[in-house]
Amino acid sequence: MSRAIEKMWDLLNDLEDILEGGYKTARVKLRVATSAASPAARPAAKSLTEGGTGDTGSAPARDTLEAIEAEVRACKRCELGLERIKAVPGAGPRNPRVFVIGEGPGAEEDRSGIPFVGPAGRYLDKWLSAIGLSRQTDTYIGNIVKCRPPGNRDPGPEEISACIPYLMRQIEILKPRTILTVGRIAAQVLLDTTRGIGAIRGQVYRFHEIPLVATYHPSGVLRNPEYRQAVWDDLKALKSLLDEA
Ligand code: SF4
């Protein structure tokens, strides 16, 4: 990782401090994620198109992102579909270098139908930019559940189970080079674990042979700037994976 990129990350965080109220936080040096080994975490799904309990897991013979988007926009398979304004299927280029996966849409995403807009989305864009990635050309962005849980609560097990086949189908079609999960729920679901994100992050996993890095959610880091160093370590691990590929 070049010094120039490290400097860019510092500048980015300084800018964030100013935007968040002008304070300057002490950077906490946490352990560097260096492991490239695949730990014992098990993937949530047996196969990519066998990822949940519902018939959305039975992908058509020639599945497409457009077909998934249309199904998601009409979907009422769980209660989240009854309260949403807009479903948020996901967005980004085909053949992405990274599939960023969060837990579910927030209020702004619910209104726009676009994943990761608002302050957390803008912060995520800066993370990607810091390692030379862009949302437009390199990154597909989606969520575990495609409709907003009311009040930004965690999605429930039945909602996740109903919705996860859509994500599995997206992964199957997109074949991303890497996966970056942001936040506790996405990591727990894909790695089939109940550990907290602080315990999960810091190593590289494999999800159906795709290298997976887990880190904090941008909105959590905006509220807790002490996580920035950990995020930067995780982004560097992701960048190394991409460079190797
Ligand atoms: S969250 Fe998923 S399963 Fe539930 S209604 Fe929305 S698209 Fe359908």
Side-chain angles (χ1 to χ4, degrees), residues 5 8 11 18 78 81 129 134 142 148 161 171 186 192 228 242:
I5 294 177
M8 185 173 158
L11 283 170
I18 293 163
C78 78
S129 168
S134 98
R148 184 193 182 207
S161 177
I171 295 173
D192 193 18
R228 287 173 180 173
L242 291 168

Side-chain angles (χ1 to χ4, degrees), residues 72 75-78 80-81 84 145-147 159 162-163 166:
V72 165
C75 183
K76 304 272 191 232
R77 290 180 52 82
C78 78
L80 299 183
R84 71 178 177 226
V145 295
K146 314 299 190 191
C147 303
E159 293 155 356
C163 207
Y166 292 127

Side-chain angles (χ1 to χ4, degrees), residues 179-203:
I179 291 172
L180 175 69
T181 62
V182 293
R184 173 178 57 87
I185 299 285
Q188 286 181 337
V189 170
L190 293 191
L191 299 174
D192 193 18
T193 178
T194 56
R195 291 183 297 156
I197 185 62
I200 296 172
R201 62 152 299 278
Q203 51 194 313

Side-chain angles (χ1 to χ4, degrees), residues 17 23 25-28 220-229:
D17 285 342
Y23 59 82
T25 54
R27 305 265 151 68
V28 181
V221 184
L222 285 172
R223 290 192 304 272
N224 302 281
E226 66 271 23
Y227 295 152
R228 287 173 180 173
Q229 183 61 52

